[in-house]
Amino acid sequence: MNEKIFFWNVRLFTKYKAARYILRFVYKLLPLVMLVAYPVLLVHVYFTDLQSLPKLVLVPMHVFLGVTLLRVIIDEQRPYERFDTPSVFGKTTKGKSFPSRHTASAFIIAMAFMYVDFWWGMLAMLIALLIELSRIMAGAHYIHDVLAGMAISIVAGWIFMFLL
């Protein structure tokens, strides 16, 4: 995301209340949906396929911890820091932009859903994609931040849930 696109985003969501409301809904509520859906999935798996439970707990846990460690090591500035302007929702966190932890978490949870049921997994992937887009549109992350979070989760999910 370059400076011109960032400022365009901020102006768009500052000027149009309806657009800001929709973005806030996606930005705030959909991560909570994933946060609630994941334990529900684990309870379901506990009663239907107990053997898969460790995989569905350990793989997302390791992705979350790995992405958190990468963020601390890389410590990339966020767009609003780099361009010295407020983000759409007034986020003030410094650094730790790469990779996006919200995106990585959403996609690894979607991979867990995919492991259990293809169609629920597809719905979770759609929600993860909306979360990913909301992080860019709100100015909290660069495009490469969210793409890296998505890639880490899909690759780790594919390897450790489906191949091994």
Side-chain angles (χ1 to χ4, degrees):
M1 172 183 303
N2 64 30
E3 188 172 3
K4 188 176 181 179
I5 293 172
F6 177 77
F7 284 118
W8 180 85
N9 263 349
V10 171
R11 276 193 307 273
L12 171 75
F13 293 108
T14 302
K15 184 176 180 179
Y16 298 103
K17 288 184 181 181
R20 189 173 56 246
Y21 179 78
I22 292 167
L23 180 61
R24 182 180 298 274
F25 175 81
V26 173
Y27 185 86
K28 297 281 189 181
L29 185 68
L30 291 185
L32 293 175
V33 168
M34 294 298 266
L35 182 67
V36 169
Y38 179 57
V40 170
L41 175 71
L42 295 179
V43 169
H44 168 75
V45 170
Y46 177 81
F47 288 110
T48 61
D49 183 17
L50 188 57
Q51 183 178 351
S52 296
L53 190 60
K55 180 185 294 193
L56 295 176
V57 170
L58 293 174
V59 174
M61 180 183 70
H62 282 94
V63 166
F64 181 83
L65 293 173
V67 165
T68 299
L69 182 61
L70 275 174
R71 289 162 51 99
V72 170
I73 292 169
I74 297 170
D75 197 26
E76 182 176 332
Q77 282 187 323
R78 292 175 180 270
Y80 55 81
E81 286 180 273
R82 180 174 173 203
F83 304 133
D84 195 30
T85 189
S87 68
V88 173
F89 299 125
K91 188 171 176 70
T92 58
T93 304
K94 301 290 186 198
K96 300 181 185 100
S97 183
F98 182 87
S100 168
R101 189 168 48 200
H102 275 92
T103 301
S105 297
F107 274 97
I108 197 62
I109 290 169
M111 291 299 289
F113 271 93
M114 187 73 69
Y115 181 82
V116 173
D117 180 85
F118 176 79
W119 294 111
W120 283 108
M122 292 304 292
L123 177 61
M125 285 287 180
L126 176 63
I127 293 170
L129 183 62
L130 290 171
I131 290 169
E132 175 181 48
L133 293 173
S134 76
R135 300 288 145 191
I136 298 166
M137 299 305 291
H141 286 285
Y142 298 100
I143 293 171
H144 68 270
D145 297 339
V146 297
L147 291 177
M150 178 182 73
I152 289 167
S153 291
I154 289 175
V155 169
W158 183 254
I159 291 170
F160 295 107
M161 289 183 192
F162 292 96
L163 295 180
L164 298 180

